Amino acid sequence: MGILIGLIPALGWGLQSIVMQKIGGKYTNKTLGMTFTTVLFGVVAFLFYRPELTANLLWGAILSGLCWSVGQILQVKSFDLIGVSKAMPISTGEQLVVTTLLGAILLKEWTHGWQYWLGVPALAIIILGVTLTTIQDHQSSEDQGSNVKLGMLVLAISTLGMAGYAVFPQVFHLNGWDVLLPQSIAMMVGVMILSSFQKGNEMFGKKTWQNMLTGICFGIANIGLLFSNQMNGVAVGFTLSQINVVVATLGGIWVLHELRSHREMKYTLWGLALVVIGAIMIGITKQ
């Protein structure tokens, strides 16, 4: 049962990108629709757990939520530029590397020599895996080349936002259940502010409301991870959740029909395997 619960985040976050691309809309519609549902999940969690809204909780949640809004909206933008199957391995790999380094250096999570001996090679394996997923047979057009370069830049900035989303609750020593409501409100406000800068954003258009379905995937994954961490421990819960990159990448290829040549597919599969192996090694360092 614990393993099945642990796979819920992988499925939820993996399907999230597939669902939003199927629904469509502008990247701002997709992200804002997600946040509306996330706030509803946060309200339900608040009613059940009734956390004390301290200044420490609010600051940590607000900073985390605002970082997420930047990271997520740019990640979704990258889907339109380079596709889900290419963006997700890069995004996941970059997030694993950055959050692991922040945890080890800033939060002092690595306190034993064996964690460095295991963690540093894991980061190298992840970087190699991400590199393999980006291999292309040829550049079909100048426009595609421009999209890839812009997509890589967008993902790099997105990674910083997603790292802040993951790290700030740890910096403020926050409980995952307590943070859900104020964090989700900060997510929604942040996305609304960023969306307001897009011309013709159709912030409350039909596609925004339809993308609340995407938010269900995100919310279920988020809640699932909290339960998984309680049942399996952080190391196992974290590791299982990272399988989302496999679900999203293969879903992008098979469901969204993001074409790959035989050679590109081979390198993508090898790259995914290395990213997952690296994630497992990082998960062990969290023991």
Side-chain angles (χ1 to χ4, degrees), residues 24-39:
K26 298 179 180 179
Y27 66 98
T28 47
N29 300 134
K30 297 171 185 175
T31 314
L32 188 58
M34 286 176 62
T35 65
F36 289 163
T37 310
T38 305
V39 170

Side-chain angles (χ1 to χ4, degrees), residues 13-31 34 72-88 207 210-211 213-215 217 248-249 251-253 255-258:
W13 282 321
L15 291 173
Q16 166 189 308
S17 53
I18 308 301
V19 170
M20 70 168 58
Q21 293 300 93
K22 275 293 189 182
I23 292 173
K26 298 179 180 179
Y27 66 98
T28 47
N29 300 134
K30 297 171 185 175
T31 314
M34 286 176 62
Q72 188 65 41
I73 204 167
L74 290 178
Q75 185 189 72
V76 175
K77 174 66 175 177
S78 76
F79 296 162
D80 296 332
L81 292 170
I82 61 176
V84 171
S85 61
K86 190 175 292 295
M88 280 304 294
K207 290 298 180 181
Q210 289 177 344
N211 270 288
L213 180 59
T214 305
C217 295
T249 303
I253 294 171
V255 179
L256 301 178
H257 308 295
E258 297 174 356

